[in-house]
Amino acid sequence: MRVSPRVVAAAAAVATVTAGLAVRAGADGAFAKYAGSALYTVLLCALVALCAPRARPVAVAGAALALSWAVEFLQLTGVPAQWAARSTVARLVVGSTFNAPDLFWYAVGAAAAWGVHAGVRRVATPSSAGRASRPAASR
């Protein structure tokens, strides 16, 4: 039985949110903050993969990283801080204050998600060598 890439991406999104909540509940300080930053980008990777299930893992990770960085740089404008003051959801989604180290941790999250996505895709997709070795009648 083949599982849909969208189902896998949705499960990854749920697992990422669960991991983020677990980090918040079980840790604090710098670890919790930067794990949360990395997981933010992992979640964006899962959401990009959900929207574009055929996209290559490097494209998914690159798009998620670009979105993460865009949100972080948007914080320099003060607009997210205004939104965050009015809405808890906005605060969770776009943050409120620019923090340069987050840029690095977003890249860590994108790299981790890329590695997992590429590995899952490699396992789920038969290799071209395996297809070429089968007789033409069975293809």
Side-chain angles (χ1 to χ4, degrees):
M1 180 172 102
R2 181 164 154 54
V3 178
S4 163
R6 282 198 165 107
V7 170
V8 173
V14 170
T16 302
V17 170
T18 302
L21 293 172
V23 166
R24 285 251 179 196
D28 57 2
F31 174 79
K33 175 168 182 22
Y34 296 122
S37 295
L39 287 168
Y40 179 82
T41 302
V42 171
L43 176 60
L44 288 177
C45 284
L47 295 176
V48 169
L50 183 67
C51 294
R54 293 185 182 187
R56 293 180 15 226
V58 70
V60 169
L65 181 58
L67 286 167
S68 297
W69 283 351
V71 167
E72 192 68 29
F73 283 115
L74 180 65
Q75 292 170 354
L76 289 170
T77 69
V79 171
Q82 293 171 357
W83 295 341
R86 293 183 188 92
S87 167
T88 301
V89 172
R91 184 174 44 80
L92 292 171
V93 173
V94 296
S96 60
T97 310
F98 178 80
N99 185 33
D102 283 344
L103 300 170
F104 169 76
W105 292 104
Y106 295 148
V108 169
W114 168 80
V116 170
H117 187 180
V120 166
R121 192 166 173 175
R122 196 173 301 117
V123 168
T125 305
S127 71
S128 60
R131 287 188 296 247
S133 66
R134 283 188 255 140
S138 67
R139 285 191 209 160

